[in-house]
Structure formats: structure tokens, C-alpha cells
Amino acid sequence: MTETTEATQVTDHGGGVHSIRVPIPDNPLGYTLIYLLDTDAGPVLVDTGWDDPASWTALTAGLTACGTTVTDLTGVLITHHHPDHHGLSAKVREASGAWIAMHEADAAVVRRTRENPPARWYAYMGAKLLAAGAPEDHVAPLLAAAEAGRPRRLPGLDAALPDRTITPGDLLDLPGRRLRAIWTPGHTPGHICLHLEEDHPANLPGNGRLFSGDHVLPGISPHIGLYEDPAVEEGSTDPLGDYLDSLERVGRLAPAEVLPAHQHTFTDAPARVRELLEHHESRLTDLRALLAAPLTPWQLAERMEWNRPWADIPYGSRNIAVSEAEAHLRRLVKLGRVEAVAGSDPVTYVAAP
């Protein structure tokens, strides 16, 4: 039985697990669910939230409502490197001395992002968008930012370096708890879920509880785009294929309850996994139909179904949409259902005969 304190948006999930709603500024998702896990060595967080004063206030107030403080925290487990999950990690560590743990694939992204000037990222994204067929006026701001050497203003460019590596399959070193890391790439190359291998406090049927990060959400499908890291994204990766394989792994796990990073907790993970698999298969089929005539990734993104008309999609969200179109195209090419048109520049894709 869960109990929520509306004033601080804290929920007691039982069995030494609480969640805290930490707001994401100017984002339709609204908030990230940060989980507090009691251990015999002290409280540990699963994710931290966005690096913003209002988010920090919500996190610290939530910890107080849970009967602890940020200074009492002993560790932080990061499901993936995105700023709404990893953004406050440095502040948490500074305030508490807590260790930070992350899968090596995402830790490598964080290291490379910190080691390279922002101009490299702007130039890389600009070149990617031009290669995808984006109009020059859309790419111009990115290229101008690269030439100007714009300072580090984007979230995630100075994310905290982790102290520990989370190894998939291992039980984590949390005294008094049985928490196992499950590697679930797709949303990011090093995304992990965390399986709490303990009886459900309300005796729900199934195999413990799963902190699912962004991998499995109850009402939306997470963004699956190309991995936006020059050292990772060399054309051979298949993020959507990674995601679909990871989904099936979670479905077979059959946890009694899923504790996601957004929206709300839910049961019957295998049913939700089936819905997501069917959604992506349907989308792949629809996209292949759109490719009866050759299209660039940008043109395909313009024709895809989103939660609003293309004309109403903001600048940054269009870049995310194009990346998602590219990830689906790559999956279709690997399945032999779509092929690149030889000699096209920017590259176009067409349904395979």
C-alpha cells in the first residue's frame, strides 16, 4: 500500500522505498521520480533530478519528509546519464560525500562530454542534421554556436563523473538489500534498470520490484534516437534494436511492480512490454510504407506521427524527432526492409523490394 504526502509529493512505497517528485523545468514530463532506498549502511538515491534550484529544493524537502537529509545519503545509483536523472548528482555528492555509480557505457559518455569543448558537440550535431537533410536555416544556429565557441550552457555538459561502475548482473554492494543491475540499452547506451530481489511489501505476485528508469514507462514510449556521442555513434549501433532486446529481457523478469522514473508505478510488466513491442513493430511498418518513394531522415520525421503537428514542434524537439527517425531507419535497414539510395546526398532511404 502506498502513501503519498501531497505537500512534498513524497510517496512511501513500503519496504524501505520512497519516491520524491523532482520537477523538470519547462518540460511536459513535469517531474522525475527520484527513489530513496534504505540500506543498513545509510540511505541511497536512485537518480537525482535536474540541476535547477527548484529541483534541488524539491529533492531536499522530499528527503526531509522521508525522515532523512541530503547529508545522510551514502550513495547515488544513476539509471542513465540524461540531465533529468544525473543533473543534481554533483550537488548531492558535495553535500553528503556520497558515491555515484553508473554503467560504464554512460560513464564514458559523461567523460567525453566533459573533456571536449561544447563547440565540438555543436559542430557534430550540425553536421549530423545536414547529413539527415535538415534545411540550412535550421542548422545555422548550431554551426554559428560552434564557430563562436559558445560556453557550457547546455544541461549535461558538466555532469558529475561517477566514482563507481555498475556491472550488469551483479548484486550491488548495499548492505541489507538485494538489488541487481540489469543492462537495458536503447534510451542511452548504458541505461540500467535495478531489480530489487525482495518480496513485495504488499505481497503482490511476481519477482520483486524494478526501478525501470526511462526504459519502461506506464503510458508513454521513451525516446529512442541515435546515441548522440561521436565516439559511440559510428553507424554500426542499433539503439532501437538494443531497446527491443532489452524490453524482452525485462518482460521475462516479470517483476511484481515497476517503479519508473516518470508518471507512476504499475504492475504487469510483461503486458506493458508487449504493448511497447507492438507499438514499435507497428511504427516500423508504417514508416516503411512512407518510404514508397525516397526520403531523407528529415523528410521522414516531417511525415511521422508525433504528439503535435510538425509545424508546432519546437526547435530542439525537432532535432530529437530526426534522431528518432534515424534510429528507426537504421533498424529497418538492418532488417532488410529499407535501403539507402546509392549516391544520394543527403542520403535518402526507400523501401526494399
Side-chain angles (χ1 to χ4, degrees), residues 1-343:
M1 191 73 178
T2 58
E3 181 181 347
T4 302
T5 305
E6 292 298 332
T8 55
Q9 294 298 294
V10 168
T11 301
D12 182 356
H13 298 277
V17 177
H18 293 77
S19 63
I20 304 167
R21 291 189 178 190
V22 174
I24 310 172
D26 303 318
N27 189 293
L29 278 175
Y31 56 85
T32 304
L33 289 170
I34 305 306
Y35 291 95
L36 178 70
L37 180 66
D38 294 338
T39 82
D40 290 348
V44 170
L45 287 184
V46 177
D47 292 333
T48 59
W50 193 276
D51 185 6
D52 179 81
S55 306
W56 177 251
T57 297
L59 177 63
T60 55
L63 290 169
T64 299
C66 293
T68 189
T69 68
V70 68
T71 57
D72 295 326
L73 295 171
T74 58
V76 177
L77 300 166
I78 298 298
T79 61
H80 60 294
H81 71 79
H82 287 165
D84 56 323
H85 297 257
H86 186 39
L88 285 171
S89 298
K91 284 190 176 182
V92 168
R93 181 167 58 191
E94 182 180 358
S96 64
W99 47 260
I100 301 171
M102 181 186 292
H103 187 282
E104 173 54 30
D106 272 21
V109 174
V110 171
R111 285 195 297 272
R112 284 190 293 268
T113 301
R114 291 173 59 93
E115 290 167 359
N116 287 283
R120 181 172 183 257
W121 186 86
Y122 286 114
Y124 170 66
M125 290 303 299
K128 274 186 65 175
L129 284 164
L130 283 174
E136 291 185 4
D137 60 350
H138 179 88
V139 181
L142 285 169
L143 299 182
E147 292 176 5
R150 184 175 293 180
R152 293 178 178 272
R153 293 176 184 168
L154 289 179
L157 288 180
D158 287 308
L161 289 169
D163 309 288
R164 302 183 181 184
T165 297
I166 296 175
T167 303
D170 280 3
L171 277 174
L172 302 181
D173 185 16
L174 301 178
R177 308 308 299 242
R178 286 187 59 85
L179 189 67
R180 192 178 302 276
I182 311 295
W183 185 35
T184 51
H187 185 57
T188 70
H191 190 290
I192 60 159
C193 293
L194 297 162
H195 185 210
L196 193 58
E197 297 178 343
E198 302 170 7
D199 291 339
H200 192 280
N203 295 315
L204 296 180
N207 299 318
R209 291 183 279 181
L210 185 74
F211 299 103
S212 68
D214 282 1
H215 186 63
V216 183
L217 303 171
I220 56 176
S221 175
H223 164 67
I224 308 297
L226 297 185
Y227 298 136
E228 292 178 350
D229 180 348
V232 175
E233 184 44 55
E234 297 293 346
S236 60
T237 63
D238 181 13
L240 183 54
D242 292 344
Y243 178 67
L244 298 176
D245 289 344
S246 301
L247 271 180
E248 293 182 346
R249 192 177 313 134
V250 167
R252 290 191 296 270
L253 196 63
E257 187 177 27
V258 179
L259 287 70
H262 302 287
Q263 299 189 305
H264 54 82
T265 61
F266 61 99
T267 58
D268 201 352
R272 181 59 183 143
V273 164
R274 286 193 298 272
E275 290 176 354
L276 289 165
L277 291 170
E278 290 168 2
H279 161 76
H280 282 286
E281 180 54 37
S282 175
R283 198 174 202 196
L284 288 169
T285 299
D286 291 345
L287 296 189
R288 186 180 185 278
L290 288 173
L291 293 166
L295 296 173
T296 66
W298 179 277
Q299 291 169 331
L300 181 62
E302 288 179 315
R303 291 159 174 78
M304 289 171 66
E305 184 176 338
W306 305 105
N307 60 2
R308 68 191 89 175
W310 182 258
D312 298 336
I313 295 178
Y315 179 91
S317 297
R318 289 191 179 192
N319 297 340
I320 293 171
V322 172
S323 181
E324 190 152 322
E326 289 181 298
H328 282 74
L329 280 168
R330 187 163 295 174
R331 176 94 286 252
L332 286 166
V333 168
K334 287 183 177 292
L335 292 172
R337 294 158 68 176
V338 161
E339 57 192 19
V341 177

